[in-house]
Amino acid sequence: MNQRQVKRNIFRNIAILFFLLLSTSSVASEKIDVKNIRYWSSSDYTRIVIDLSGHVEFSKNLLSDPDRIYFDLKNTRLSKDIKTVFPVGDGMLKAVRAGQFDPDTVRIVFDLEMIKDFNTFFLDSPARLVVDVQGTKSIKKPEVVLTKRKIVIDAGHGGHDPGAVGPSGIHEKDVVLDIALKLKEILVKDPLNEVFLTRETDVFISLEERTAIANNKNADLFVSIHANASPSRRAHGIETYLLNWTNDEEAMTVAARENAISLKKMKEMHKQMDLLETIKNDLMRENKRDESIRLAHYIQKSLISTLNRERNNRKRIDLGVKQALFYVLFGAKMPSVLVEVSFISNPGDEKLLSNETYRMQLAKAISNGLNIYIMSTSVTKVTAL
Ligand SMILES: [Zn+2]
């Protein structure tokens, strides 16, 4: 592996560490539990998530012969019943190991094979440290080529997380799953589309796993589908989001709800990011910002124009393309957006959302938006048939 590159990364990641230190609020005497380690791996991208009982301070270090990176999590203890050795063997990481290094420190070791890059960030409620590792695998030039695109559709929430609940009891998780399934059905009619859903049934999937699925599939596009909610039952309309810093309180409120964190936490996060330009850039550098903006505009435009052509619908208010810090978009390596299809908290919209025809109209409109984006994108990924 190229040690200089990794060292450069470490320096860059020190900025993130600074961010983590700022957001540290744990009481020093109380030990933070390292509760679980999870990972999703493919040949050129792996996401590792370390579940914690609270914020931690940590340091990281690079060692050679054999090459490894380790993270020392301060003031932590390793939960007794967790798995501590993970043989990964994906060409980038040999293994991930965890151990109680000393009474106050849990050490997480990444045994390296060959990596290009890695990036670390922290998510809250519940607290978890996310490490994204990028491989060096180059794309082989195929002999027979066809332009294909992989689209990952993410139906929000699921399982024990119902998402927003409408006044008559309709769950966001059910509405958005049905829209996602319909959208897939429409998109797969084009043989050049390869479509994956993060969930096809009523199951719970963490926000970070959804992004990991899209990155592991090496997706070209990622669309997360949600229904909006507001304390005001009169609020209605459609809006499409991309990942970015914002100072718009309403956008922050939406992101806080979708991230399942408090608005206060959300505001703190924005404040910290605003102070540290490097963090802002670092967390979002992979996100293909310009492409995400284009994708968001095409989908938003298509939703408004398509739905307002339908006679039976009430007029759809165009709330526009907005940005906020959605966990589900953190670390996504492709153009990625989150659509709030309507307000489930609005009795009129809830009624529409409970109607299959309306859900199909929404799916068609999103599909149209995606198609316009794809057609207008000159650089299409080339994949072997
Ligand atoms: Zn949602």
Side-chain angles (χ1 to χ4, degrees), residues 156-157 163-164 172 176 225-227 257-258 340:
H157 314 278
E172 178 187 355
V176 296
I225 301 174
H226 290 258
R257 182 170 47 75
E258 299 296 8
E340 296 281 0

Side-chain angles (χ1 to χ4, degrees), residues 151-155 175-184 186-187 193 195 221-227 238-240 294-307 309 337-342 353 358-374:
I151 303 167
V152 172
I153 302 161
D154 172 49
V175 169
V176 296
L177 176 60
D178 190 61
I179 296 167
L181 289 165
K182 285 179 163 55
L183 177 56
K184 180 181 176 180
I186 298 165
L187 289 170
N193 287 339
V195 184
L221 299 170
F222 180 66
V223 180
S224 185
I225 301 174
H226 290 258
I238 297 172
E239 56 195 13
T240 304
R294 264 185 355 101
L295 177 62
H297 276 282
Y298 284 129
I299 290 177
Q300 176 71 12
K301 228 169 142 183
S302 171
L303 277 164
I304 297 299
S305 63
T306 310
L307 294 165
R309 271 202 303 271
V337 298
L338 183 145
V339 189
E340 296 281 0
V341 291
S342 290
L353 286 169
Y358 183 68
R359 295 196 300 268
M360 183 52 99
Q361 288 165 0
L362 286 166
K364 276 185 187 157
I366 296 170
S367 146
N368 286 343
L370 279 165
N371 281 332
I372 297 167
Y373 172 85
I374 289 164

Side-chain angles (χ1 to χ4, degrees), residues 68-80:
R68 59 208 188 273
I69 302 168
Y70 68 79
F71 294 75
D72 277 346
L73 312 181
K74 303 279 151 59
N75 196 35
T76 52
R77 100 190 129 202
L78 198 61
S79 295
K80 274 188 188 126

Side-chain angles (χ1 to χ4, degrees), residues 16-170:
I16 294 191
L17 177 60
F18 183 36
F19 169 55
L20 294 177
L21 289 173
L22 273 179
S23 58
T24 297
S25 57
S26 61
V27 182
S29 58
E30 231 172 77
K31 287 258 191 307
I32 300 293
D33 290 318
V34 176
K35 288 159 52 178
N36 196 13
I37 298 170
R38 299 171 284 144
Y39 76 94
W40 300 272
S41 165
S42 70
S43 58
D44 63 350
Y45 165 79
T46 296
R47 170 166 280 188
I48 299 102
V49 176
I50 301 151
D51 291 309
L52 303 157
S53 64
H55 278 281
V56 291
E57 290 177 37
F58 68 88
S59 59
K60 68 186 117 165
N61 238 309
L62 175 72
L63 296 172
S64 48
D65 283 329
D67 292 336
R68 59 208 188 273
I69 302 168
Y70 68 79
F71 294 75
D72 277 346
L73 312 181
K74 303 279 151 59
N75 196 35
T76 52
R77 100 190 129 202
L78 198 61
S79 295
K80 274 188 188 126
D81 46 356
I82 75 160
K83 208 177 148 191
T84 53
V85 180
F86 301 84
V88 182
D90 56 10
M92 290 178 290
L93 298 178
K94 288 176 188 161
V96 177
R97 296 176 282 130
Q100 191 76 48
F101 179 68
D102 65 36
D104 297 320
T105 313
V106 171
R107 177 170 284 187
I108 315 272
V109 182
F110 292 68
D111 293 310
L112 305 179
E113 188 86 56
M114 180 85 80
I115 72 164
K116 185 175 149 204
D117 202 0
F118 73 99
N119 192 23
T120 312
F121 56 89
F122 199 86
L123 300 178
D124 227 316
S125 309
R128 61 253 200 229
L129 184 65
V130 180
V131 184
D132 278 342
V133 181
Q134 196 66 46
T136 55
K137 200 180 127 194
S138 60
I139 299 159
K140 281 184 201 154
K141 278 242 164 88
E143 284 177 24
V144 182
V145 294
L146 240 183
T147 52
K148 278 192 137 191
R149 54 258 161 181
K150 285 186 192 166
I151 303 167
V152 172
I153 302 161
D154 172 49
H157 314 278
H160 64 75
D161 171 17
V165 179
S168 78
I170 288 183

